[in-house]
Amino acid sequence: MNIQRRLASALAVIPHKPGRLSFLLQILAFKVFSFPCYQSSAMELITSVLGSLLAEVGRHLYGFISSGIRNSRLYFNDLEKEMKLLTDLRNNVEMEGELVTTIEATEWLKEVEGIEHEVSLIQEAVAANHEKCCGGFLNCCLHRRQLAKGFKEVKRLEEEGISLLAANRIPKSVEYIPTAPIEDQPTATQNLAKIMNLLNDDGVRRIGVWGMGGVGKTTLIKNLNNKLRNASSAQPFSIVIWVTVSQELDLIKIQTQIAERLDLGLIMNGSNRTVAGRLFQRLEQEKFLLILDDVWEGIDLDALGVPQPEVHAGCKIILTSRRFDVCREMKTDIEVKMDVLNHEEAWKLFCQNAGEVATLKHIKPLAAGVAEECGGLPLAIIIMGTSMRGKTRVELWKDALNELRRSVPYNIEGIEDKVYKPLKWSYDSLQGESIKSCFLYCSLFPEDFSILISELVQCWLAEGFINEQQNYEDVKNRGIALIENLKDCCLLEHGDHKDTVKMHDVVRDVAKWIASNLEDGSKSLVESGVGLGQVSEVELSKPLKRVSFMFNKITRLPEHAIGCSEASTLLLQGNLPLQEVPEGFLLGFQALRVLNMSGTQIQRLPSSILHLAQLRALLLKGCLRLVELPPLGRLCRLQVLDCSATLINELPEGMEQLKKLRELNLSRTIHLKTIQAEVIAGLSSLEVLDMTDSEYKWGVKGKVEEGRASFEELECLEKLIDLSIRLESTSCPALEDVNWMNKLNRFLFHMGSTTHEIHKETEHDGRQVILRGLDLSGKQIGWSIINASSLLLDRCKGLDHLLEAITIKSMKSVVGCFSCLKALTIMNSGSRLRPTGGYGARCDLLPNLEEIHLCGLTRLVTISELTSQLGLRFSKLRVMEVTWCPKLKYLLSYGGFIRTLKNLEEIKVRSCNNLDELFIPSSRRTSAPEPVLPKLRVMELDNLPKLTSLFREESLPQLEKLVVTECSLLKKLPLTLQSATSMKEIKGEVEWWNELEWADDAIRLSLQHHFNS
């Protein structure tokens, strides 16, 4: 019995596999015959082991058999499906009359007939096995090889059949697409002509047409498609393929449209990769134009199966999108921006849709108002015009106009479904809630209002749309990135002034509509720029997140608190009649983060403002009667305080307690003459201090009155990156005392007298020094001047002496003193810009100068005197402007010290009475002449009565704009036939133009259409 147990244990650890059965039996037989005494026990053990082994073998065998049958069935089903496709393909080939007679088709049809017979035999054999058991299994295993072989052969014949059909079918090169005509829209017609020209430009492979929803992108490209159809053989493409992409990107849907256009519908059977390969092979045979309409995100052309246009010669891609970043992602070579219609185009389109009723005498003024409210957006114009068609009652037109002006045209049929909802797609496609909130915030401003970007960023930061943990430079950059993103989506556009943006009227209406339907408590009350005289307490009592009453005529606010406990923004700026904010009013706004009362006539703030514990931004710019502020120390979360252009004469009590204040704007505070010591130094989080044109002058310690803030206190502001202040003219800090200033990203230091004269702005005013009304004789060159990117010298004496000192100093140093300087402006001086000692610099002292502006230099004869003494090459100079220099004879001589102005792009010369030539060759010129102005794009000449020549032996190959006024003696222009290719505009008097002398009349004729008087 022990032996039996040991054998059973030994056998239990041996894997029960059928292949080992004979081996086990041999062992047992050996035991039985070797030990007769144990034969009885051994036989019992053998019987037990055999039963276990046979059961295990049965399980394995059953699994093997069922798996084989299941796989055979799968092969059988796949073969049946593919055979059906092959049969359909054969029928299509047989229907192609001429194709059937070809040798290739005949052979293919024979092969198909043969495989049909083979597959039929396999099908019959497999069917016969369904009622069998072991025999059926064995036959299934044998047929599986035949099934696989048949499947492979059927797939091969499918590919060959598709190729036969593709080679035989030639689709129309262009299919007509019904659409509205654009002949009456000059702007759209010009865009159409531009794109047609681009299609013939071999250097342009991808064209992006972008603009806001409803602006007419699809209509334009449909007209382009139809124009190519009418051009027939003249157009360069063998086929034009139109694909509608839509918001949800579906590659299979796009592939299907391309395949159907190529008459290749049958190729859509297979994986995306397989279909892409087939499309690629087919498109490689064509010079195609692929039009992708309504693209919302980048499309992988390789995954789609479209050859790259840069590789496949002769093919091009046009895409339309609401988003510029889609054009960027699709790597378009040229982007065509679709703008809204102008007034005349909009009115004509409106009348086409509204019919004759729009021109009726009693209706026309109202119809014009309705058309204007559509903001030139074709979609809105068409919907509004159609909805008002045939309506002759004045009341209906008045009601429609009123609804549009109130931005709530919900009762006008079609507006919400056909205008607002399609435009809302652009909003829905924005990535992230922050940018959506930023977009909706812009609707708080009045219609067609240019919003300061800096003000928007301040508000977005205060509202928490931008991470406040970033430094102010990063906050600004983030704000600009958000704005550019919204502009790229056509949800914002350039404002009417520098550094501003605005909303299209219809987009603003959509934003207000979206905000009014939000369910997250973010609803807004927007009554901005509507002429409101007083605030509605009923409206304010509703649950609101943001309130805008800006730019109205509000004279007074409610005396008591109103329950606006959730409101985070209150905008009251631009209400000029408003003189007082009642104590009780602000108590109802406990959650305020942004309070803007700029441009009102308030004289003081109520003490109740101190209860606004969440306030981040307090904006009081342009409150011209504001003389004092309450103690602000309790506003511990305040980050932005703008008191610019107010009448305050000192900072409020407790100011130094504002430990989170990041931006303080005290610019144009002409009565601010006192700042107490240590107040500014206590603002430990301050990053921006703007005191441009403030009356307060910062002096160095020991030279300011006791108790007043000194320049050295600014060193305590460790986070300061932007500083604009006035300095005492006699107290410029020494170089060794200002190492902390190296961390400043931007600065403006104004030394000398104050003037509100507007001076010329440059691109490099980020690090600017202004010296005004100073005597520069014997002055030291301070840190600020050496590190300035822009230097303005106005009404300064001793300028020649300063230049001499600079020249002498340069002889002791290899590096130029002004290597940071990129813009130089000199105004109102009697200097000749020529050092008196006759010294000459060893190197270019202004090696990076890009702009030079000279105005009112009464003794200046030529700029060459300055260049020779300071070693100037003007190698990076881009802009030269000279005005009111009465003794100026010529600008520069070339060929000697300066051989070429290779980067000069703009020249503007005005009111120089003795100027007779712009540039003259140097008598020292020894080498072959180089082009003096190879990159000049703009030349403006005005009131130069003695000017006879621009320069000798020179042409202007890149000139785009030429303006000549009151230069009657100028008879010749350095223009050639080549100039016509770059020229865009010529302005001047007709008499002057007609009296010009030309080397070849063909030059005049080539330029004539660019001339405007």
Side-chain angles (χ1 to χ4, degrees):
M1 202 62 192
N2 290 334
I3 293 175
Q4 186 175 359
R5 281 198 297 271
R6 285 199 297 270
L7 281 172
S9 300
L11 289 172
V13 300
I14 299 175
H16 290 176
K17 292 186 178 180
R20 299 186 179 182
L21 178 60
S22 61
F23 175 70
L24 289 171
L25 291 175
Q26 288 176 14
I27 295 175
L28 290 171
F30 172 77
K31 291 294 183 181
V32 170
F33 292 109
S34 300
F35 305 97
C37 60
Y38 295 118
Q39 286 180 1
S40 176
S41 300
M43 290 302 295
E44 292 176 9
L45 180 59
I46 289 171
T47 303
S48 173
V49 171
L50 278 175
S52 174
L53 285 173
L54 287 173
E56 186 68 22
V57 169
R59 280 194 295 272
H60 281 283
L61 188 59
Y62 175 78
F64 180 68
I65 292 171
S66 60
S67 174
I69 294 173
R70 186 165 54 252
N71 289 337
S72 296
R73 285 175 180 170
L74 290 174
Y75 275 114
F76 182 73
N77 292 336
D78 288 345
L79 180 60
E80 280 193 325
K81 289 179 184 177
E82 294 300 325
M83 197 63 218
K84 186 177 183 307
L85 291 173
L86 183 60
T87 303
D88 292 339
L89 192 59
R90 181 200 62 193
N91 295 336
N92 278 281
V93 170
E94 289 176 342
M95 290 173 64
E96 299 286 332
E98 295 182 2
L99 176 60
V100 179
T101 63
T102 64
I103 297 175
E104 293 86 353
T106 303
E107 291 295 327
W108 181 80
L109 288 170
K110 285 182 180 179
E111 288 191 74
V112 172
E113 186 178 352
I115 196 66
E116 282 181 327
H117 179 68
E118 290 181 22
V119 171
S120 177
L121 292 175
I122 296 172
Q123 288 173 327
E124 290 175 3
V126 172
N129 289 329
H130 284 174
E131 300 298 327
K132 299 180 180 180
C133 181
C134 291
F137 160 69
L138 294 174
N139 285 332
C140 280
C141 293
L142 293 173
H143 288 310
R144 189 166 62 181
R145 290 184 179 179
Q146 292 176 292
L147 289 169
K149 182 180 178 182
F151 181 84
K152 185 177 180 181
E153 184 67 10
V154 169
K155 292 291 289 184
R156 180 185 69 80
L157 290 171
E158 277 182 22
E159 294 290 339
E160 290 183 7
I162 289 170
S163 298
L164 282 171
L165 282 173
N168 187 62
R169 292 180 176 178
I170 303 176
K172 294 179 181 179
S173 61
V174 188
E175 289 186 337
Y176 176 79
I177 303 176
T179 188
I182 58 173
E183 285 81 4
D184 293 333
Q185 300 174 23
T187 304
T189 304
Q190 289 172 9
N191 283 330
L192 178 60
K194 179 179 181 179
I195 297 172
M196 287 292 289
N197 289 333
L198 291 173
L199 291 179
N200 292 306
D201 186 343
D202 293 336
V204 177
R205 300 291 187 182
R206 308 182 192 214
I207 302 169
V209 180
W210 71 291
M212 65 185 295
V215 79
K217 302 180 295 295
T218 300
T219 300
L220 174 72
I221 301 304
K222 283 182 177 179
N223 275 271
L224 173 77
N225 177 87
N226 295 341
K227 188 166 184 177
L228 290 171
R229 178 177 179 269
N230 296 333
S232 62
S233 59
Q235 62 98 358
F237 304 104
S238 61
I239 188 168
V240 177
I241 304 169
W242 181 285
V243 175
T244 301
V245 179
S246 299
Q247 191 169 11
E248 295 297 328
L249 181 61
D250 186 341
L251 284 183
I252 295 176
K253 181 180 175 183
I254 298 172
Q255 289 175 327
T256 301
Q257 292 180 72
I258 297 174
E260 289 176 351
R261 180 69 181 90
L262 296 168
D263 283 337
L264 298 177
L266 288 169
I267 74 165
M268 294 309 295
N269 299 298
S271 65
N272 281 6
R273 186 174 179 179
T274 301
V275 173
R278 292 168 179 169
L279 282 177
F280 187 91
Q281 291 175 0
R282 179 66 175 83
L283 287 171
E284 271 195 318
Q285 304 168 23
E286 303 284 354
K287 289 180 65 176
F288 64 85
L289 170 62
L290 176 61
I291 298 173
L292 300 170
D293 184 43
D294 197 21
V295 184
W296 288 77
E297 58 183 285
I299 300 173
D300 185 344
L301 296 181
D302 294 331
L304 193 60
V306 175
Q308 299 286 344
E310 293 78 16
V311 177
H312 184 46
C315 76
K316 293 181 187 287
I317 294 175
I318 295 178
L319 66 92
T320 72
S321 180
R322 299 185 186 188
R323 306 168 65 98
F324 182 75
D325 60 344
V326 171
C327 298
R328 190 182 292 119
E329 192 172 350
M330 293 293 289
K331 301 175 184 176
T332 52
D333 301 308
I334 296 289
E335 296 80 36
V336 178
K337 174 74 181 296
M338 287 284 291
D339 291 317
V340 295
L341 305 180
N342 61 37
H343 179 75
E344 291 181 5
E345 293 170 334
W347 174 243
K348 190 173 290 186
L349 181 61
F350 184 83
C351 291
Q352 288 172 2
N353 289 274
E356 294 182 359
V357 66
T359 59
L360 297 177
K361 186 176 180 180
H362 65 296
I363 297 294
K364 186 174 181 179
L366 297 168
V370 171
E372 187 177 352
E373 286 297 318
C374 294
L377 186 66
L379 176 64
I381 293 168
I382 292 168
I383 299 302
M384 278 305 306
T386 303
S387 70
M388 300 305 292
R389 192 177 184 89
K391 295 182 179 180
T392 57
R393 294 194 61 170
V394 171
E395 294 86 352
L396 298 177
W397 285 88
K398 285 183 176 179
D399 178 65
L401 183 56
N402 185 51
E403 290 280 289
L404 287 170
R405 285 177 174 168
R406 292 177 57 238
S407 303
V408 286
Y410 310 130
N411 298 323
I412 301 174
E413 186 177 354
I415 286 292
E416 186 169 327
D417 288 335
K418 296 181 181 179
V419 179
Y420 282 16
K421 287 183 179 178
L423 289 176
K424 184 177 179 288
W425 291 345
S426 295
Y427 167 82
D428 292 335
S429 70
L430 295 173
Q431 300 297 311
E433 292 304 314
S434 291
I435 192 169
K436 289 181 177 179
S437 298
C438 290
F439 165 70
L440 296 179
Y441 201 93
C442 295
S443 68
L444 301 177
F445 293 81
E447 186 176 281
D448 201 35
F449 183 82
S450 293
I451 314 166
L452 274 171
I453 291 175
S454 58
E455 186 175 324
L456 262 185
V457 175
Q458 287 173 340
C459 295
W460 291 350
L461 174 65
E463 280 277 9
F465 304 156
I466 299 176
N467 184 2
E468 65 179 23
Q469 299 304 317
Q470 302 178 89
N471 65 49
Y472 219 70
E473 186 73 14
D474 292 339
V475 166
K476 179 184 175 182
N477 293 339
R478 181 59 185 154
I480 291 174
L482 289 167
I483 286 169
E484 290 302 312
N485 195 339
L486 291 171
K487 284 162 70 175
D488 287 349
C489 297
C490 297
L491 294 175
L492 285 181
E493 55 191 53
H494 293 290
D496 296 331
H497 313 290
K498 184 181 178 183
D499 297 327
T500 64
V501 291
K502 66 179 180 180
M503 269 185 158
H504 184 275
D505 294 349
V506 177
V507 174
R508 177 177 178 269
D509 292 344
V510 172
K512 291 176 64 177
W513 172 69
I514 294 171
S516 68
N517 289 290
L518 291 175
E519 300 297 333
D520 61 354
S522 298
K523 293 186 177 181
S524 301
L525 174 59
V526 183
E527 295 286 351
S528 54
V530 294
L532 205 64
Q534 61 182 14
V535 171
S536 170
E537 295 187 23
V538 176
E539 292 293 328
L540 273 178
S541 300
K542 298 176 181 178
L544 298 169
K545 185 66 175 176
R546 296 176 186 93
V547 179
S548 176
F549 290 122
M550 69 172 80
F551 293 97
N552 283 302
K553 299 176 182 178
I554 297 172
T555 57
R556 63 184 184 84
L557 298 170
E559 299 281 345
H560 56 280
I562 298 176
C564 262
S565 58
E566 298 300 318
S568 59
T569 288
L570 175 59
L571 305 179
L572 293 167
Q573 67 263 39
N575 284 284
L576 191 59
L578 186 62
Q579 299 183 14
E580 182 183 5
V581 180
E583 281 288 339
F585 176 68
L586 291 178
L587 294 175
F589 293 86
Q590 295 297 311
L592 270 192
R593 286 170 164 254
V594 179
L595 176 58
N596 194 335
M597 291 185 285
S598 302
T600 63
Q601 294 196 58
I602 58 172
Q603 298 181 37
R604 54 185 54 83
L605 292 176
S607 58
S608 57
I609 196 173
L610 304 180
H611 295 281
L612 306 181
Q614 300 300 320
L615 196 64
R616 264 75 167 176
L618 178 57
L619 309 177
L620 304 168
K621 176 175 60 179
C623 291
L624 299 178
R625 300 182 65 187
L626 183 65
V627 294
E628 62 177 329
L629 296 173
L632 298 179
R634 288 170 57 184
L635 300 179
C636 58
R637 290 184 172 85
L638 194 66
Q639 297 181 7
V640 178
L641 177 60
D642 188 346
C643 297
S644 60
T646 61
L647 298 184
I648 61 171
N649 52 33
E650 62 180 356
L651 298 183
E653 187 180 335
M655 182 85 174
E656 67 277 4
Q657 299 174 33
L658 302 179
K659 301 301 181 183
K660 293 192 175 182
L661 192 68
R662 305 177 70 172
E663 179 178 359
L664 176 59
N665 192 336
L666 298 171
S667 63
R668 293 175 292 150
T669 47
I670 58 176
H671 291 274
L672 181 63
K673 297 182 179 179
T674 300
I675 296 180
Q676 298 298 321
E678 303 302 326
V679 172
I680 299 294
L683 305 175
S684 55
S685 297
L686 197 65
E687 297 176 62
V688 179
L689 175 59
D690 187 354
M691 297 185 66
T692 306
D693 292 332
S694 174
E695 186 62 24
Y696 189 79
K697 298 179 182 179
W698 292 80
V700 295
K701 189 177 293 185
K703 294 188 177 181
V704 297
E705 295 179 15
E706 189 174 348
R708 287 182 57 188
S710 66
F711 182 82
E712 285 77 8
E713 287 186 28
L714 299 175
E715 186 175 358
C716 301
L717 303 176
E718 296 181 356
K719 296 183 179 181
L720 191 67
I721 58 172
D722 192 331
L723 177 63
S724 300
I725 58 173
R726 286 184 66 196
L727 293 169
E728 290 283 1
S729 59
T730 58
S731 60
C732 291
L735 285 172
E736 61 272 12
D737 299 330
V738 290
N739 289 330
W740 63 272
M741 292 169 65
N742 290 317
K743 68 184 180 183
L744 296 176
N745 293 339
R746 286 179 298 276
F747 61 74
L748 168 60
F749 295 127
H750 183 166
M751 290 167 265
S753 59
T754 303
T755 176
H756 298 291
E757 177 183 336
I758 299 175
H759 61 268
K760 180 72 177 180
E761 292 186 357
T762 76
E763 295 181 9
H764 309 288
D765 290 346
R767 297 167 70 88
Q768 186 178 32
V769 172
I770 298 176
L771 306 179
R772 182 168 277 132
L774 298 176
D775 186 349
L776 301 178
S777 302
K779 296 295 183 185
Q780 293 293 321
I781 303 169
W783 177 95
S784 58
I785 299 178
I786 291 176
N787 288 276
S789 59
S790 175
L791 175 62
L792 186 149
L793 306 171
D794 182 21
R795 298 184 178 87
C796 290
K797 298 179 181 179
L799 189 54
D800 289 339
H801 293 286
L802 178 65
L803 293 175
E804 183 177 338
I806 292 172
T807 303
I808 294 172
K809 185 174 182 178
S810 71
M811 295 179 181
K812 303 175 183 178
S813 172
V814 177
V815 181
C817 293
F818 293 92
S819 58
C820 294
L821 196 66
K822 293 186 176 182
L824 174 63
T825 303
I826 304 177
M827 304 170 59
N828 306 311
S829 172
S831 170
R832 293 187 59 176
L833 301 186
R834 183 177 65 181
T836 58
Y839 298 102
R842 294 178 178 176
C843 61
D844 189 343
L845 299 187
L846 305 177
N848 297 308
L849 192 68
E850 295 183 19
E851 299 184 38
I852 184 168
H853 304 272
L854 306 175
C855 177
L857 304 187
T858 57
R859 298 177 61 200
L860 181 67
V861 175
T862 175
I863 303 174
S864 289
E865 293 184 340
L866 178 66
T867 61
S868 60
Q869 298 302 320
L870 298 185
L872 306 185
R873 266 72 169 179
F874 287 153
S875 58
K876 295 185 180 180
L877 192 68
R878 295 188 303 104
V879 177
M880 178 182 290
E881 184 173 15
V882 182
T883 308
W884 295 104
C885 296
K887 292 190 176 181
L888 188 70
K889 295 290 291 179
Y890 62 94
L891 295 180
L892 281 171
S893 63
Y894 61 89
F897 207 66
I898 295 180
R899 295 186 178 182
T900 178
L901 298 169
K902 61 182 180 181
N903 289 304
L904 191 62
E905 297 179 5
E906 295 184 21
I907 293 177
K908 299 179 181 180
V909 186
R910 300 184 182 90
S911 302
C912 297
N913 295 339
N914 280 301
L915 186 74
D916 55 25
E917 197 166 3
L918 295 187
F919 300 94
I920 64 172
S922 171
S923 58
R924 294 178 292 172
R925 188 164 83 179
T926 57
S927 59
E930 298 180 50
V932 181
L933 303 169
K935 293 185 180 180
L936 190 70
R937 294 185 304 103
V938 177
M939 178 180 287
E940 297 182 11
L941 308 172
D942 176 52
N943 190 21
L944 307 173
K946 293 186 178 182
L947 181 66
T948 59
S949 173
L950 302 184
F951 31 65
R952 307 165 198 171
E953 302 174 358
E954 177 71 15
S955 63
L956 303 172
Q958 301 296 324
L959 193 64
E960 298 176 4
K961 179 180 179 181
L962 174 63
V963 180
V964 181
T965 53
E966 297 187 44
C967 301
S968 57
L969 297 183
L970 184 62
K971 300 297 183 182
K972 294 182 179 181
L973 298 176
L975 302 178
T976 64
L977 285 172
Q978 183 187 353
S979 303
T981 60
S982 61
M983 188 66 71
K984 296 179 180 178
E985 181 182 20
I986 301 175
K987 280 189 175 183
E989 299 98 338
V990 175
E991 184 179 356
W992 166 78
W993 177 258
N994 291 335
E995 292 179 358
L996 282 175
E997 301 171 5
W998 302 92
D1000 186 342
D1001 199 51
I1003 300 174
R1004 179 185 65 80
L1005 292 174
S1006 68
L1007 296 169
Q1008 180 68 49
H1009 66 287
H1010 295 296
F1011 176 74
N1012 289 304
S1013 57

